Amino acid sequence: MIAMPDLDARRLVLRNNLAELDRLAGWIEGWAQQDLSPDLSFAVQLCLEEAVANIIMHSVANGRLEIAVEVERKDQTLVARIEDNGSAFDPTQVPPPPVPASLDEAKVGDIGIHLMRSFASGIHYERRDGTNRLTMRFAQKHSGSRG
């Protein structure tokens, strides 16, 4: 892979295998540590890994499932897109998880889409020509002086 000194646009194609999450994490870390704040890097990594894991675990494709992840910076916003040829699924239509009344009632898991909504400043989904396209936006926060 050719090193890219600038985060203008980057693309990674993944296979339908949970082991690909390690490759995705390494790819994100490779450019995020240089180009993003630690908070933004964490948010982007969590959201991309959650979305890709959901595709790998739950999607069905006619033939081979293909997943492409692309990130680019537009002004002070990082835009991340995930495209796949799996079954249609719009995460923006998933209702928020119920708030448990107690720790005993709390469930482990099933909050990944909720976390994506919490960390991304915007999420958009569209299905076109048999392809899912999930676009997440992450606003780059300006560091201000504290005192």
Side-chain angles (χ1 to χ4, degrees), residues 6-77:
D6 190 16
L7 178 65
D8 292 328
R10 296 172 190 231
R11 184 174 173 89
L12 177 68
V13 177
L14 301 166
R15 297 180 310 272
N16 183 18
N17 185 323
L18 284 174
E20 290 283 86
L21 293 177
D22 288 338
R23 194 160 71 98
L24 175 63
W27 179 74
I28 294 167
E29 289 171 9
W31 51 261
Q33 290 177 350
Q34 297 173 6
D35 297 322
L36 305 178
S37 70
D39 288 346
L40 185 57
S41 176
F42 174 81
V44 171
Q45 184 159 355
L46 182 137
C47 291
L48 287 176
E49 287 181 5
E50 179 62 31
V52 169
N54 282 343
I55 294 166
I56 292 170
M57 291 188 301
H58 303 293
S59 194
V60 177
N62 291 331
R64 191 174 126 186
L65 180 64
E66 295 179 2
I67 306 162
V69 180
E70 183 175 280
V71 292
E72 65 180 320
R73 188 188 321 260
K74 290 186 176 183
D75 299 320
Q76 293 298 312
T77 302

Side-chain angles (χ1 to χ4, degrees), residues 80-94:
R81 279 185 208 82
I82 302 171
E83 294 183 354
D84 70 89
N85 63 336
S87 46
F89 175 69
D90 183 353
T92 67
Q93 298 303 309
V94 174

Side-chain angles (χ1 to χ4, degrees), residues 124-139:
H124 175 76
Y125 169 84
E126 69 178 330
R127 174 94 175 167
R128 185 184 304 162
D129 300 325
T131 301
N132 296 303
R133 176 182 282 180
L134 181 65
T135 304
M136 296 179 280
R137 297 183 186 287
F138 301 88

